[in-house]
Amino acid sequence: MSVRAMGVLSQACRLGRLAQVLRQSHRSAPAAFNIALGSQHSPAVAALSLRRFTTETKQASGPVVDKHEFQAETRQLLDIVARSLYSDHEVFVRELISNASDALEKFRYTSLSAGGENMAGKDRPLEIRITTDKPLMQLIIQDTGIGMTKEELVSNLGTIARSGSKKFLEQMKDNQQAASSEASSNIIGQFGVGFYSSFIVANKVEVFTRAATPNAPGLRWSTDGSGTYEIEELPDVELGTRIVLHLKTECREYADEERIKAVIKKYSNFVGSPILLNGKQANEIKPLWLLEPQSISKEQHHDFYRFISNSFDVPRFTLHYNADVPLSIHALLYFPEGKPGLFEMSRDGNTGVALYTRKVLIQSKTEHLLPKWMRFVKGVVDSEDIPLNLSRELLQNSSLIRKLSSVISTRVIRFLQERSKKQPEEYEAFYRDYGLFLKEGIVTSNDQTEKEEIAKLLRFESSKSETASGRMSLEEYYNAVPQEQQNIYYLAAPNRVLAESSPYYESLKKRNELVLFCYEPYDEVVLMQLGKFKSKKLVSVEKEMREESKEATATTDFGEGSLLRSELDSLIPWLEEELKGQVVKVKPTSRLDTHPCVITVEEMAAARHFIRTQSHQVPEQNRFALLQPELEINPKHPIIKKLNKLRGSDKDLAQLIAKQLFANAMVGAGLAEDPRMLLTNMNTLLSRALEKY
């Protein structure tokens, strides 16, 4: 036998043994296998056919798995996403639902645009399906949206911070589609990191997807976040995208239906597409702020208000506000009917307005969206223009945010002004409960124009109103007095009786001047901070009295029955000596009738505020040095005239009376730190008065 014949025989034997093995594993051999075994073919043809068979066998035994490495130092970035980027673990649900919503919106848009008639499954329901599996510790989030091709999987999921939604919007602009169209306004994703929030709670993530293009293959993308991912083709994958999260042991709570339901309610309750949680719809409340105001019923407002405020009352007023310029704003704000609680009264409380972007919650209590004094307002603001940080949780501190805050604040103030005119009784009830917040707004604002706009909402009793229901606004005061009157006068007192009997009001009452009565301790501080309203200064009657006394210093005739000037010239130095260290000056006044004396200081409102808040930290001598009080005496009053005589006949009694007059005047001015200090001197004075009996 030749060498060549022996080689052929040897090869045939090897083929025979291989064929025997293959027959055991394959009952029906393909054509290549039969050719390899056929004796009519040469060994070379048989070997070629066998190689073809081997390749087909490998293909038939399972799909080809492609391994890829993440780009952009993904291992480190995944650590950042999982540990640092998000402040709360539960937001991964919001991010994945937002991505699913984007996929649905992309499908809607693409199917309606040119070439969309060839999209696969155009008639399928567009929805988000969430399934919890406690035994397997899995959470599955699925959408019936646009799906992804292999290239998109590599591009969008293989690179951190690459946003498919952002690219989609850019393509829409390139195609000269309106950026403000409904489709673009519903796209949520911006940063391309939301998907990777999965690794906050999962140690393995699988993505099953099939693009909506014709004949697109089903794909499975998977990774454990270690730096590589795999992609393989699979049959029977549904159109859209299904994400399977294999939860970490410490995050098993997210396989619980009630836990996921609570997160959906908190963050994604207003996503436009249905969210089905284990087959039941979880987002049933409509985003009312995006509906036409006239289409919303009163009952819908009540239900929505209770939902967003977590309260059981109903709204007193409702402000539905939409604007495109200078910013895109959709706002639905409520003014509560119930009285504010103690926590709301505190400035430590948060504002009650939630911030949304395209129906997805960004912050439930947004710090800088409204000023602190508007913390009683409840509601929702949705804007596409707000700049967010990477995690979509925090607002960037920018001029755009300040502009948004200014626009909304101005609209709230103007709305309350409208209600005060159109619904005066309802506004009066609101002011009784929430007037303190308006006054806080004046004190804390740094803008005089804003202060005056808020001041239009203030209401006070006046000297010409008979009842509390006849309260007056500053604008009404401004229009009621002559144009040449330069001041708006106000008087602080605990109640109307004390206001009308105040020594500071006597001269203005004689002149029939219009005076506003301020009954709250902080009212005069508010008006002092306001300073002016339109062209008129806000002046307390105490300050007006002191200023007028300066102009009348040279007066010699104080009316019939008064002390002579010569008598005053000796009484005044004596009083200044007796009250040394307490008053800086004693002087006569013609502005008193029924009161013997009065105390004036430069800024009465500031002085009273000082006494209430800080005087206990200052020794008495220093306190009087700071206040610089002046004692103005009424030369016509019987007590002053008797005191002048007692100086010569009973010096001790005169001293007691002088001290008591000063103490009474300090109490009348609201400058006594503790009125109980009056009792010691008063009891001594009473004892002297009763010595004759």
Side-chain angles (χ1 to χ4, degrees), residues 453-464:
E453 287 299 315
I454 302 172
K456 292 178 182 178
L457 300 169
L458 301 182
R459 297 292 184 271
F460 300 99
E461 281 189 43
S462 77
S463 56
K464 295 185 179 180

Side-chain angles (χ1 to χ4, degrees), residues 67-71 74 158 227-229:
K67 277 200 171 185
H68 300 263
E69 288 191 2
F70 284 112
Q71 300 178 32
T74 302
T228 63
Y229 61 92

Side-chain angles (χ1 to χ4, degrees), residues 561-686:
S562 69
L563 292 174
L564 300 176
R565 185 73 220 190
S566 57
E567 292 174 308
L568 288 173
D569 287 343
S570 63
L571 174 62
I572 287 173
W574 180 83
L575 283 171
E576 288 178 342
E577 181 62 29
E578 292 298 324
L579 301 174
K580 189 175 182 179
Q582 294 176 301
V583 299
V584 294
K585 191 175 183 180
V586 178
K587 58 186 178 182
T589 180
S590 59
R591 292 169 61 86
L592 296 174
D593 278 334
T594 59
H595 294 81
C597 61
V598 70
I599 286 289
T600 61
V601 298
E602 190 62 37
E603 288 290 350
M604 190 68 81
R608 275 193 282 258
H609 183 68
F610 167 76
I611 292 294
R612 284 194 299 266
T613 59
Q614 300 177 45
S615 67
H616 62 282
Q617 302 174 4
V618 181
E620 182 178 273
Q621 187 175 356
N622 293 354
R623 187 161 66 246
F624 288 121
L626 287 169
L627 293 176
Q628 296 282 296
E630 293 184 0
L631 180 66
E632 300 188 18
I633 60 173
N634 178 5
K636 295 183 294 183
H637 199 278
I639 293 178
I640 299 298
K641 291 194 286 186
K642 294 251 184 186
L643 175 62
N644 186 49
K645 291 181 179 179
L646 278 173
R647 285 190 302 121
S649 59
D650 193 335
K651 186 177 179 181
D652 291 339
L653 181 58
Q655 288 174 335
L656 285 172
I657 292 173
K659 289 177 181 178
Q660 191 64 46
L661 284 173
F662 172 74
N664 292 350
M666 289 291 285
V667 171
L671 297 176
E673 184 182 24
D674 189 348
R676 289 174 295 185
M677 296 297 292
L678 292 170
L679 295 177
T680 302
N681 189 68
M682 186 179 293
N683 289 334
T684 305
L685 188 59
L686 288 172

